[in-house]
Amino acid sequence: MENLPCKGCRGLCCGPVPVTERELKIIKKKIRSMPHKQRLALEKQPRFYGTCIFYDLEKDRCGIYSARPEICRVFGYHKNLSCFRKPELATKDNWTAKEKHVGILSKDFTWKDFK
């Protein structure tokens, strides 16, 4: 995030977010380790349709940053995942997932799946 102009984007580029089985396990562990108050505050935030359920609109950043899926980690640096505010950073070839995705956050997996 140091190079991408994420401040002020409000998570509009954060979705849809495909996840793998392995990533789901990591996210579930992260959510379970969150203080209840923090988790509830994140869960209750209004969402823009199709955006990631873990984007923290109040703090304008990813609410599970250390456990974010691979696609989020590579976003902005690959030609097929370029940031619309700074597309010149997309200097790497197209990104291809290494593992099969099992669903999409906010569509196939919602907060009820992480309790």
Side-chain angles (χ1 to χ4, degrees):
M1 283 185 67
E2 304 83 42
N3 296 329
L4 295 176
C6 296
K7 289 291 181 195
C9 280
R10 313 292 296 155
L12 293 175
C13 59
C14 297
V17 180
V19 291
T20 66
E21 190 68 44
R22 182 183 55 79
E23 290 168 337
L24 278 175
K25 289 177 185 175
I26 293 168
I27 293 170
K28 285 180 181 182
K29 184 177 179 181
K30 173 75 173 180
I31 296 299
R32 283 192 298 269
S33 72
M34 276 183 182
H36 179 73
K37 188 176 178 179
Q38 179 184 358
R39 185 175 63 236
L40 192 59
L42 187 60
E43 179 182 356
K44 298 298 179 191
Q45 290 181 20
R47 303 276 166 220
F48 293 112
Y49 180 75
T51 60
C52 182
I53 61 174
F54 298 118
Y55 191 82
D56 189 332
L57 285 166
E58 292 175 8
K59 296 178 181 170
D60 195 21
R61 65 180 187 197
C62 178
I64 59 163
Y65 190 77
S66 63
R68 70 196 186 282
E70 183 182 12
I71 194 166
C72 302
R73 294 172 189 273
V74 300
F75 181 82
Y77 302 104
H78 293 265
K79 291 180 177 151
N80 62 337
L81 296 172
S82 64
C83 170
F84 71 94
R85 291 173 80 181
K86 209 160 187 183
E88 65 274 11
L89 290 177
T91 58
K92 299 180 180 186
D93 289 333
N94 287 343
W95 177 76
T96 306
K98 296 176 183 94
E99 297 177 49
K100 183 180 179 204
H101 294 110
V102 293
I104 296 175
L105 293 178
S106 76
K107 180 181 175 233
D108 301 310
F109 301 103
T110 62
W111 271 100
K112 68 175 175 46
D113 298 298
F114 296 94
K115 294 189 181 215

